[in-house]
Amino acid sequence: MNQSRKLMTLDEFTIQELRNFPQATGELSGLLRSIGLACKRINAEVNRAGLVDILGALGTENVQGEEVQKLDDFANKALIDLLNHSIYCAGVGSEENDDIVVFDDPISNNSKYVLLMDPLDGSGNIDVNVSIGTIFSIFKRISPLGQPVTLDDFLQPGHRMVAAGYVIYGSSTMLVYATRRGVNGFTLDPSVGEFCLSHPNMKCPPHGRFYSANYGNFGKYSPGVQAYLKRCETKTTAEGGPYTERYIGSMVADIHRNLIKGGIFMYPGTTDRPQGKLRLLYECNPLAFIVHLAGGIATNGSIPILDIKPVTLHQRMPLFIGSCGMMDELMQCIRAEG
Ligand code: P6P
């Protein structure tokens, strides 16, 4: 890479965005910077994960006598602690917490945003060194300023989202962030410890060759989903080549690849788990917002994910998400086969 090319850091990007919106208060930019800082701390721990066996097994004390935290817990606490001490967030809903975390102090009660997150999705892959991710979404509270936030602030449909993003801890660490102005990707430069704009104005190709599904559940999928998967096995892509089945077991990694190269990811409902496995608030909604703003589509098989009114914090939802051309073909199969 041409080192002389000035790379824009995440902070510089958020400040530039502020210049485009003089009436903005800077809170959303500040919230994004806080998330970026927390994820740099998580990245450092994720990169050490392989050393935990040397330094002490998870849940025990390491050679320094420090308790070795499960990385999910570490990531959850890192984000909550940092957001609690910021001035931009009134509360958090986390996949790791049964209830909402309300930051009930005078400053936080006057913050206008709430955050929903999966602090470390795919953490079961850490011991085999597969990419994992942090997923988050940001909503404007609907409860009055000056009071603690309530559950209703977190149960808003995805189309009311202000911003969403993910961090993928992979061969490089990248933060992808979406607002209604578009989707931008920032790669962490370890030499300076800054996220730098590397993928401006990301767009999801309308077609691709990658399709991601857990074939172990094939016999439990609906006839329409089975028909689509069979179609991918026998037909050629819009470009005329073969499809490629690629399922990493870490949705952030699968969806990130499909967002860049084109493709479709699905975690359908099954006969034994009709609502599937993925959480609406912490996984489906933020990724649907990002892919939608990049030109892709995300549904639960019949309804756009962003139109679904959440009922409970941890409810699960089937997810089909990716390139619009491939999603149209999937929906044709579902309509034809049920
Ligand atoms: P399965 C990880 O636990 C996760 O939530 C997603 O990141 C991933 O795509 C999915 O579950 C994998 O689930 O049942 O196919 O192993």
Side-chain angles (χ1 to χ4, degrees), residues 32-285:
L32 177 61
R33 287 198 297 275
S34 297
I35 295 166
L37 175 57
C39 289
K40 284 192 274 192
R41 290 174 177 163
I42 295 167
N43 178 64
E45 285 303 303
V46 166
N47 290 344
R48 291 173 67 242
L51 297 174
V52 162
D53 292 342
I54 301 168
L55 301 177
L58 293 179
T60 62
E61 288 192 349
N62 62 23
V63 291
Q64 289 82 18
E66 300 153 350
E67 186 216 346
V68 180
Q69 286 180 306
K70 274 170 58 69
L71 277 173
D72 318 62
D73 297 340
F74 175 84
N76 195 45
K77 289 187 174 70
L79 280 155
I80 289 175
D81 290 350
L82 208 145
L83 293 169
N84 190 6
H85 295 96
S86 77
I87 57 174
Y88 314 113
C89 185
V92 170
S94 170
E95 184 173 296
E96 298 292 326
N97 294 68
D98 291 342
D99 301 312
I100 58 173
V101 181
V102 178
F103 302 149
D104 187 2
D105 62 76
I107 291 177
S108 300
N109 284 341
N110 278 293
S111 301
K112 61 185 177 187
Y113 295 115
V114 295
L115 182 132
L116 287 144
M117 67 180 186
D118 182 354
L120 206 57
D121 179 78
S123 52
N125 292 310
I126 290 170
D127 52 357
V128 292
N129 216 11
V130 166
S131 302
I132 53 180
T134 295
I135 312 170
F136 63 91
S137 58
I138 299 168
F139 289 83
K140 256 188 194 164
R141 63 188 291 176
I142 53 179
S143 56
L145 286 173
Q147 300 172 4
V149 286
T150 67
L151 182 58
D152 287 342
D153 290 308
F154 297 86
L155 296 180
Q156 301 182 57
H159 63 74
R160 293 174 59 93
M161 213 176 292
V162 172
Y166 61 80
V167 175
I168 177 169
Y169 309 101
S171 51
S172 65
T173 295
M174 199 170 151
L175 183 149
V176 173
Y177 179 66
T179 65
R180 299 203 178 277
R181 285 172 51 80
V183 184
N184 292 282
F186 302 83
T187 299
L188 182 64
D189 179 346
S191 66
V192 293
E194 290 285 358
F195 282 108
C196 298
L197 184 63
S198 55
H199 296 66
N201 193 28
M202 295 175 77
K203 291 297 179 192
C204 183
H207 290 280
R209 63 190 177 97
F210 296 110
Y211 66 108
S212 308
N214 181 341
Y215 262 91
N217 295 329
F218 183 87
K220 296 186 279 188
Y221 290 151
S222 69
V225 171
Q226 291 177 342
Y228 179 76
L229 293 175
K230 282 287 175 204
R231 185 187 186 286
C232 289
E233 291 170 10
T234 55
K235 303 284 187 190
T236 57
T237 66
E239 287 71 33
Y243 285 95
T244 300
E245 206 277 334
R246 189 85 89 236
Y247 189 73
I248 297 177
S250 183
M251 70 186 296
V252 171
D254 278 319
I255 292 173
H256 182 68
R257 178 200 58 244
N258 295 349
L259 177 64
I260 292 174
K261 292 183 178 282
I264 186 171
F265 171 93
M266 62 182 75
Y267 205 102
T270 53
T271 46
D272 57 342
R273 296 173 74 176
Q275 292 308 309
K277 169 184 182 182
L278 304 180
R279 310 285 182 167
L280 172 60
L281 295 185
Y282 311 115
E283 294 160 329
C284 301
N285 256 350

